[in-house]
Amino acid sequence: MRQKILVTGGAGYIGAHTASVLDKEGYEPVLLDNFSNSDRTLLSGLRKITGKQITFHEGDCNDRSLLHSIFQKEGDIAAVIHFAARRYVGESVEKPLYYYRNNVGSTITLLEVMLEHGVSDFVFSSSCTVYGQPDELPVTEDTPRKPAESPYGNTKKICEDIIQDTVLSGQPIKAAILRYFNPIGTHPSHLMGEVPHGVPNNLIPFLTQAAVGVRPELVVFGDDYDTPDGSCIRDYIDIMDLAEAHVQALKFLRSTEANSLFEIFNLGIGEGKSVLELIKTFEKATGVSLNYKIGPRRPGDVEKVYANVDKASEVLLWKATRDMSESLYNAWQWQLRLGKH
């Protein structure tokens, strides 16, 4: 019998790709989403990829009665992977209370309902934003967290602390905190990818939209940083590698006999690539010439950050295997499916 895994934010970019891997690995994903960050496009792609009508519940993780009804209706949920959160830095600056109520409140409510229903295994979607601009690179899981640059980043820090305090209190929660870096790419079938709402906040959908003509050009924010080519450096990880890491984290939690557990894992490729390097790689992988210009630095941007992923390799038996060229080619094919939308 396949174990049911509740995936909050399951219709989103990372959630839907993780659901596809869960299904492939013999689990039964149960999705929950309110479509505030997503739409039904990825559910259709997921259905085609899996050949199954994946169980889906529409609603908000802050809705305690809805969560109770899902746990009761499904009956035997084995674990929860929690993606659901608002994730736009600029919006969080404008609406901090909304972000705290939504991101932090939903995590508290979910943990409470899990405990009431005797579900202990919890994989939490965190972010490398908690490191800010680190003093040393690459960052390890022991690298000190810096003050958050935005309410969004602060919600990730606060949620990590809430989960850790819950575990330290002796509550039967086994938690894997996954701090990931910059997800890019799509499912290799090109049936699922990133679907931005309005003007994209992330680099890759903006880049592909510029390449297809939806945007007039791509702006590179700054070429005067202390990096080899002057542009910011990030750790870009393929979405399928990232999705597979969530399933490995789940297997790790399911295999441990501890009553309570709190472990943090960095998820990246362990290597930094600059924005200008990424642009050149995209052009080479796709044969498309990109219209871009250099603009001023963007306030709050970190100069460079990339991960040490030794812990994930040793404990989760996971390592990123896909290269940037493959990720960017897949992202371009997805954009061609979307067209000029």
Side-chain angles (χ1 to χ4, degrees):
M1 183 176 176
R2 302 195 337 152
Q3 293 180 329
K4 292 182 178 180
I5 310 299
L6 178 61
V7 182
T8 73
Y13 176 47
I14 306 175
H17 284 82
T18 299
S20 74
V21 178
L22 284 167
D23 175 77
K24 183 180 178 182
E25 291 293 313
Y27 296 95
E28 182 179 342
V30 175
L31 311 186
L32 170 62
D33 205 300
N34 67 359
F35 297 112
S36 65
N37 281 337
S38 55
D39 58 39
R40 300 180 190 275
T41 304
L42 299 192
L43 293 181
S44 174
L46 182 61
R47 185 164 57 248
K48 293 174 183 176
I49 289 166
T50 63
K52 300 182 179 75
Q53 188 69 42
I54 301 294
T55 301
F56 177 78
H57 299 271
E58 184 171 351
D60 195 303
C61 289
N62 276 291
D63 187 339
R64 186 182 301 271
S65 62
L66 172 64
L67 290 177
H68 276 300
S69 70
I70 291 171
F71 278 84
Q72 290 165 353
K73 182 177 181 179
E74 298 300 334
D76 53 356
I77 290 174
V80 175
I81 303 179
H82 184 37
F83 294 108
R86 294 295 294 182
R87 57 185 177 84
Y88 302 118
V89 170
E91 183 185 55
S92 76
V93 173
E94 297 169 359
K95 302 177 181 178
L97 295 180
Y98 172 61
Y99 266 67
Y100 288 116
R101 181 180 299 278
N102 186 76
N103 294 7
V104 178
S106 66
T107 302
I108 293 171
T109 302
L110 187 57
L111 285 168
E112 289 174 339
V113 174
M114 284 177 60
L115 288 168
E116 290 177 37
H117 289 270
V119 178
S120 62
D121 294 351
F122 187 58
V123 179
F124 179 71
S125 165
S126 191
S127 168
C128 67
T129 58
V130 301
Y131 296 120
Q133 178 58 68
D135 297 325
E136 295 183 4
L137 290 171
V139 294
T140 73
E141 290 79 3
D142 295 323
T143 296
R145 298 181 305 174
K146 293 289 184 73
E149 296 285 345
S150 68
Y152 161 71
N154 206 30
T155 64
K156 290 301 184 183
K157 289 178 64 177
I158 292 170
C159 286
E160 286 190 3
D161 291 342
I162 288 170
I163 297 164
Q164 183 175 35
D165 288 344
T166 303
V167 170
L168 291 175
S169 74
Q171 295 285 355
I173 291 289
K174 296 188 290 182
I177 308 300
L178 305 186
R179 291 176 179 165
Y180 32 88
F181 285 67
N182 294 70
I184 62 174
T186 73
H187 191 274
S189 67
H190 309 137
L191 292 170
M192 292 194 303
E194 195 165 1
V195 185
H197 288 190
V199 179
N201 281 265
N202 295 337
L203 173 60
I204 300 306
F206 202 111
L207 182 152
T208 58
Q209 286 188 2
V212 83
V214 175
R215 308 289 163 193
E217 62 188 358
L218 173 70
V219 178
V220 176
F221 296 110
D223 65 349
D224 58 349
Y225 287 99
D226 183 19
T227 62
D229 63 19
S231 62
C232 289
I233 287 177
R234 297 289 183 270
D235 189 332
Y236 297 100
I237 176 173
D238 188 272
I239 187 64
M240 295 307 297
D241 283 325
L242 185 60
E244 289 165 1
H246 284 78
V247 179
Q248 288 302 110
L250 177 65
K251 290 178 179 179
F252 164 68
L253 294 178
R254 302 294 293 158
S255 67
T256 182
E257 296 181 359
N259 184 56
S260 298
L261 186 72
F262 181 85
E263 291 288 351
I264 298 168
F265 299 95
N266 285 336
L267 300 181
I269 66 168
E271 181 181 355
K273 298 285 187 179
S274 76
V275 174
L276 291 175
E277 277 184 280
L278 182 142
I279 289 172
K280 291 175 184 175
T281 303
F282 173 83
E283 291 180 329
K284 185 175 180 180
T286 64
V288 176
S289 181
L290 190 66
N291 184 25
Y292 70 93
K293 71 175 184 180
I294 306 298
R297 292 188 184 193
R298 186 170 54 180
D301 271 352
V302 170
E303 180 174 87
K304 48 192 170 185
V305 62
Y306 54 94
N308 177 304
V309 291
D310 290 347
K311 184 177 179 182
S313 176
E314 294 166 5
V315 178
L316 301 183
L317 306 179
W318 169 89
K319 188 174 180 61
T321 60
R322 297 160 178 90
D323 65 27
M324 182 185 283
S325 293
E326 178 183 356
S327 304
L328 294 174
Y329 175 80
N330 286 337
W332 176 235
Q333 293 302 309
W334 169 249
Q335 182 64 61
L336 291 177
R337 287 182 68 93
L338 292 177
K340 294 190 176 184
H341 299 290

